[in-house]
Amino acid sequence: MNYLIDNPVGATATIVLAHGAGAPMDSDFMASLADELAAAGLAVVRFEFPYMAQRRVDGRKRPPNRQPVLLQSFRQVVEDLAARADLPRPLLIGGKSMGGRMATLLAVSEADPVAGVCCFGYPFHPPGKAENMAARIEHLQLVKKPVHIFQGTRDPFGKHAELAGADLGPEVTVHWLEDGDHDLKPRKASGLTQSEHIKAAAGIIASGLFT
């Protein structure tokens, strides 16, 4: 398994990040997120699911692996990293979109060492199909560890208005980022920037959410 690791001096926790369905671990978003989390004092580990790792080898685009394969891959990463003495604790898991969803599914059954989950642009439902939300959130009520979701208010995979009244379970907190889309990017007219949103999310995570 290939990892991209940022482990700044004095890091107080480690966060393992999985990519979204269509972009690799070194996409612009994932790189920016890793940079801000490291700057905030966390060690950051990025990895790729098998289908994306294979794309890196042969250049062919392919759909994501089936869910059992994704979860087993993520589980193996957690086991590998838990055995490393050079990465600080607590150990958090999370990711972008699909990667974040897989992290929440893993956290339903995952015992220690996972201390919590961070999701960036959670796919609450396919775009334009809010009626299909139940299948994406029912497991969240079973998670026994803290889950923090950083979501743009106009994310087509789950807008602020669409989530009103949804029962996400006692361990789930949604942090709404004003005017952000699925990549947490706001429109210019908002006066905000994607970088500001990513930096804000990193600061919240580093502020002691999981200690």
Side-chain angles (χ1 to χ4, degrees), residues 99-143:
R101 181 172 173 241
M102 291 304 110
T104 62
L105 286 162
L106 194 63
V108 171
S109 59
E110 195 70 23
D112 288 337
V114 174
V117 182
C118 298
C119 304
F120 306 89
Y122 188 87
F124 286 99
H125 59 75
K129 297 182 178 181
E131 67 276 9
N132 294 343
M133 190 184 306
R136 300 281 184 91
I137 67 173
E138 56 186 3
H139 73 282
L140 294 176
Q141 300 176 19
L142 304 176
V143 177

Side-chain angles (χ1 to χ4, degrees), residues 6 8 32-44 199 202-203 206:
D6 297 276
S32 295
L33 180 59
D35 286 346
E36 291 295 349
L37 287 166
L42 283 80
V44 186
K199 184 175 183 177

Side-chain angles (χ1 to χ4, degrees), residues 7 20-21 25 28 32 37 43 45 68 83-84 91 96 98 100 118 124 127 159 165 172 175 177-178 191-192 198:
N7 190 6
M25 63 182 177
D28 289 345
S32 295
L37 287 166
V45 181
R84 293 183 55 153
L91 180 63
K96 173 73 171 75
M98 181 194 73
C118 298
F124 286 99
K159 300 177 183 178
V172 178
H175 304 267
L177 299 173
E178 185 61 34
L192 303 167
I198 294 175

Side-chain angles (χ1 to χ4, degrees), residues 1 3 73 75-84 87 89:
M1 181 75 70
Y3 300 124
S73 176
R75 186 175 293 109
Q76 184 61 57
V77 169
V78 171
E79 291 175 357
D80 288 349
L81 298 177
R84 293 183 55 153
L87 295 172
R89 300 293 186 271

Side-chain angles (χ1 to χ4, degrees), residues 17 38 42 46 82 97 111 136 138 147 158 168 173 180 194 206:
L17 296 177
L42 283 80
R46 287 174 278 166
S97 193
R136 300 281 184 91
E138 56 186 3
V147 175
L168 302 179
T173 301
Q194 183 190 47

